[in-house]
């Protein structure tokens, strides 16, 4: 069930250049059941910025009613969010959307988790859940440069982890797809979140695999009412069929929607 | 409750608050948050004869105290709206205002004729003002003679009263209002969005795939107030006002300008509970301002010799 709640800031720290890790406390954590879902945040009480901001849930702690997000302070809204102090409140609408299906990866099988930039965060809770189910996890995490890298150690604790930077300043140089082929990584299920070109490349490279992609789109309402976030489906690319990223996604099965 | 009840052509409303068209879908999403029967009415998403996919994305862009949208009237088409959406809405005790759109005159007539027969549709809102479709829509909304003719034809086929939704993207809104009144409109709804644009700092190109979009939200409220103030003094049909409403105070300001009911659009995206909150807050605000009934507020900005409201202050 979607809830709207004023959550309390437990911590907000810069963990890499302009990358913040924000932990909130609230009852709505009890509704968070799938990794890959997101919340819609009102970052200010004023009319500017007006709209909520969609941010993925990176870690869920239901026992303590806590959840963590990782975001890049970039524009107006996320910069304001970066200034939130311990004890401040944030108006949260969520959890929203459909997350990654963990049950698609069988115990003993291998899941490859590929993230790009601020697409990396939702993979963390996903990886935790997969580990719990005795799935082998391999992570390939792409970042722009060394100072944008985060959570490398945390992911390493859960499984084999490769970090890639575009400029080669940390880890391998190049794109996530380069590493997957260079390392000859084999897997049964692929879960990915990140820039659209990356998702497109992965979908095209592994048509025969079980692939799940998390998409990004500009949003108005975040709950399916405004039709801002629609995309077309692959089996009806020019017709009237559509999917809403906010409620049908943000996670889609490879081959389902046009990206 | 009777402090808020208003009667408009076709519409006996328990309160004058309703979500604006396109900002509430067909109600399903918001029914997760509250009982839709608390609303005065619901203006459903624009309906066209055939299904429409709408524009490419990005379809929305944020602006200072507002947003631009270029959805492009995406909707499942007349048949599905009647059989699925209106049928579903029938479980609630709330009169529906059906937003009617199209490209050609025939489209409007067909949608109006069919949708007005549905039992929970108590009024039509003729959308002659959508800025986001290439043909039709906007021409009907900017040329008084064309708007009048269309209103007349839709009135002939409609089984319920017809409200015409006016575009603010005209040089003389009073002239438009008078034209549709002459065409037989039972009421007006205003304002639709103002055409605007945003450019991306890095690429220099428009943010919206459609290049331009309709501006809504708090940023447009003064424009809406001014237009309702002007129009309400020159027509004898009621106005449902909209444009940037977020609070009970905003609602009263729209009434002062000349509105008889108020619709809330963009604010639903920011706070899904905004409509019930406003409905709950209105009685206390009316008491504070010294009004026995909300309709006493209508047109206060220009009516002469009204007793001063603030006598209890
Ligand atoms: C389902 C989903 C999950 C996301 N998860 C994360 C996350 O975990 N961490 C993170 O850092 N970012 C995430 N994003 C991207 C994040 O929403 C944007 O970075 C953020 O909205 C930008 O806001 P701003 O105020 O910094 O930018 P501004 O440029 O001021 O934003 C202006 C408007 O554009 C929208 N917008 C701008 N960039 C994006 C974008 N990339 N996607 C969608 N809307 C955008 C904003 O929401 C706002 O309405 C996610 C996006 C989606 C759709
Ligand atoms: C995303 C979005 C979609 C809209 N779709 C419609 C529509 O289908 N038909 C219509 O008449 N108006 C539509 N509108 C206009 C609103 O009904 C309303 O007139 C306008 O947004 C001003 O009110 P607001 O500032 O409260 O949003 C839409 C507005 C938005 C923001
Ligand atoms: S953001 Fe409104 S429908 Fe998805």
């Amino acid at each position: 069930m979607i809830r709207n709640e004023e959550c309390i800031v437990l911590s907000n720290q810069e963990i890499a250049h302009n990358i913040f890790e924000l932990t909130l406390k609230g009852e709505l954590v009890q509704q968070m059941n799938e990794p890959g879902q997101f919340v819609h945040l009102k970052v200010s009480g004023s009319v500017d910025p007006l709209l909520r901001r969609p941010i993925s849930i990176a870690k869920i702690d239901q026992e303590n009613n806590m959840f963590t997000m990782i975001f890049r302070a970039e524009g107006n809204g996320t910069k304001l969010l970066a200034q939130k102090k311990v004890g401040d409140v944030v108006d949260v609408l969520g959890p929203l959307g459909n997350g990654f299906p963990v049950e698609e990866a069988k115990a003993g099988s291998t899941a490859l988790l590929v993230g790009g930039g601020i697409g990396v965060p939702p993979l963390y809770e996903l990886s935790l859940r997969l580990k719990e189910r005795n799935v082998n996890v391999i992570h390939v995490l792409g970042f722009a440069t060394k100072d944008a890298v985060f959570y490398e150690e945390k992911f390493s604790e859960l499984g084999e982890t490769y970090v890639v930077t575009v400029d080669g300043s940390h880890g391998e140089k190049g794109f996530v797809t380069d590493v997957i082929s260079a390392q000859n990584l084999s897997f049964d299920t692929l879960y990915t979140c990140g820039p659209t070109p990356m998702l497109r490349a992965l979908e095209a490279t592994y048509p025969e695999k079980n692939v799940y992609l998390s998409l990004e789109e500009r949003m108005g309402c975040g709950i399916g009412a405004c039709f801002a976030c629609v995309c077309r489906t692959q089996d009806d690319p020019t017709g009237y069929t559509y999917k809403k990223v906010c409620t049908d996604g943000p996670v889609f099965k490879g081959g389902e929607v046009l990206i | 409750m009777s402090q808020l009840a208003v009667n408009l052509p076709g519409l006996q409303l328990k309160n004058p608050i309703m979500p604006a068209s396109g900002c509430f879908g067909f109600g399903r999403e918001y029914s997760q948050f509250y009982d839709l029967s608390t609303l005065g009415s619901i203006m459903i998403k624009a309906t066209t004869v055939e299904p429409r996919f709408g524009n490419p994305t990005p379809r929305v862009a944020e602006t200072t105290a507002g947003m631009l949208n270029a959805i492009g009237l995406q909707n499942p088409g007349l048949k599905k709206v009647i059989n699925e959406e209106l049928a579903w809405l029938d479980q609630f005790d709330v009169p529906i205002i059906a937003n009617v759109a199209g490209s050609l005159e025939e489209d409007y007539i067909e949608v109006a004729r069919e949708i007005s027969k549905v039992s929970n549709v108590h009024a039509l809102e003729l959308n002659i003002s959508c800025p986001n479709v290439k043909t039709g829509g906007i021409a009907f909304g900017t040329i008084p003679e064309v708007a009048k003719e269309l209103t007349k034809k839709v009135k002939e086929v409609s089984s319920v009263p017809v409200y015409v939704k006016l575009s603010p993207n005209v040089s003389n809104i009073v002239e438009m209002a008078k034209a549709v009144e002459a065409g037989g409109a039972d009421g007006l709804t205003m304002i639709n969005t103002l055409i605007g644009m945003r450019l991306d700092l890095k690429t220099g190109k428009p943010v919206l795939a459609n290049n331009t979009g309709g501006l809504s939200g708090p940023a447009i409220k003064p424009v809406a107030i001014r237009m309702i103030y002007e129009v309400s003094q020159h027509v004898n049909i009621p106005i449902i006002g909209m444009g940037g409403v977020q609070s009970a105070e905003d609602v009263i300001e729209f009434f002062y300008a000349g509105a008889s009911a108020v619709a809330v659009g963009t604010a639903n995206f920011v706070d899904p509970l905004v409509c019930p909150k406003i409905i709950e807050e209105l009685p206390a605000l009316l008491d504070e301002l010294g009004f026995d009934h909300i309709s006493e507020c209508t047109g206060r900005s220009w009516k002469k010799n009204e007793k001063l409201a603030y006598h209890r202050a």
Side-chain angles (χ1 to χ4, degrees), chain A residues 53-56 70-72 75-78 118 216-218:
Chain A
R53 297 293 190 266
I55 304 286
S56 302
I70 297 164
F71 65 92
R72 181 161 62 215
N76 254 342
T78 49
I118 52 167
E216 253 181 29
E217 190 49 84
R218 303 277 161 149

Side-chain angles (χ1 to χ4, degrees), chain B residues 14 19 24 26-42 88-89 92-94:
Chain B
K14 44 186 169 296
F24 206 72
F26 296 93
R28 288 179 196 267
E29 294 76 20
Y30 289 90
S31 72
Q32 302 171 85
F33 297 97
Y34 61 92
D35 178 2
L36 301 186
S37 305
T38 46
L39 296 166
S41 172
I42 297 173
W88 179 83
L89 278 165
F92 301 102
D93 173 28
V94 59

Side-chain angles (χ1 to χ4, degrees), chain B:
Chain B
M1 242 14 217
S2 64
Q3 207 177 3
L4 297 184
V6 296
N7 280 337
L8 304 178
L11 301 165
Q12 291 205 336
L13 309 179
K14 44 186 169 296
N15 65 67
I17 306 303
M18 60 194 82
S21 179
C23 302
F24 206 72
F26 296 93
R28 288 179 196 267
E29 294 76 20
Y30 289 90
S31 72
Q32 302 171 85
F33 297 97
Y34 61 92
D35 178 2
L36 301 186
S37 305
T38 46
L39 296 166
S41 172
I42 297 173
M43 294 167 141
I44 57 171
K45 176 82 192 149
T47 301
T48 52
V49 180
E50 299 300 331
R52 281 183 63 109
F53 182 82
N55 292 322
T57 57
R59 292 177 170 186
V60 293
E62 195 180 49
T63 60
T64 307
M67 68 179 281
L68 294 167
N69 89 80
I71 307 295
L73 297 183
Q74 180 161 26
N75 78 91
L78 180 60
K79 231 187 240 145
K80 276 201 170 170
V81 169
I82 293 178
N83 295 333
E84 293 172 21
E85 306 301 341
L86 286 168
W88 179 83
L89 278 165
D90 204 32
Q91 65 184 293
F92 301 102
D93 173 28
V94 59
I96 306 297
I97 302 177
N99 190 272
V100 173
S103 307
L104 306 168
E105 198 174 84
E106 300 90 274
D107 303 340
Y108 282 97
I109 292 172
E110 161 117 19
V111 177
R113 185 198 295 118
E114 297 309 317
I115 212 163
S116 68
K117 290 180 192 158
V118 181
S119 63
N120 53 343
V121 171
H122 291 217
L124 301 185
E125 180 181 42
L126 201 55
N127 182 3
I128 57 169
S129 46
C130 182
N132 299 324
V133 284
K134 297 272 179 298
T135 54
I138 203 72
F140 291 114
T142 50
I143 306 167
E145 255 327 289
V146 179
K148 180 179 162 186
E149 280 312 302
L150 182 71
T151 307
K152 223 186 229 167
K153 294 201 165 123
V154 167
K155 272 294 287 178
E156 278 166 19
V157 299
S158 176
S159 320
V160 295
V162 175
Y163 292 69
V164 179
K165 186 160 187 175
L166 298 184
S167 167
N169 305 304
V170 294
S171 49
N172 189 342
I173 188 124
V174 173
E175 198 187 348
M176 286 300 301
K178 283 177 153 172
V180 300
E181 184 183 33
D186 299 283
L188 301 170
T189 67
M190 56 192 290
I191 58 175
N192 209 322
T193 53
L194 291 140
I195 301 174
M197 198 167 181
R198 266 213 71 175
L199 306 176
D200 184 277
L201 186 64
K202 286 181 192 141
T203 64
K205 301 287 184 227
V207 173
L208 295 174
N210 189 53
N211 294 345
T212 61
L215 180 63
S216 64
I220 72 168
K221 197 183 92 179
V223 180
I225 295 288
R226 186 267 292 179
M227 289 185 159
I228 294 167
Y229 172 82
E230 288 179 357
V231 168
S232 62
Q233 296 180 63
H234 291 98
V235 296
N236 293 305
I237 48 178
I239 297 172
I240 301 176
M242 63 196 76
V245 174
Q246 301 199 99
S247 65
E249 287 78 6
D250 291 341
V251 170
I252 300 295
E253 194 176 344
F254 272 76
F255 270 75
Y256 285 165
S260 298
V262 165
V264 182
T266 304
N268 290 290
F269 306 156
V270 182
D271 179 1
L273 288 160
V274 65
C275 289
K277 278 183 191 163
I278 290 176
I279 294 165
E280 204 186 307
E281 286 166 12
L282 273 172
L285 181 58
L286 288 171
D287 288 346
E288 187 190 323
L289 296 171
F291 294 109
D292 296 324
H293 194 276
I294 191 158
S295 55
E296 292 163 26
C297 303
T298 299
R300 202 163 186 88
S301 56
W302 50 264
K303 280 185 185 159
K304 301 268 186 309
N305 302 323
E306 291 284 314
K307 77 173 158 71
L308 192 65
Y310 230 123
H311 60 277
R312 290 183 204 167

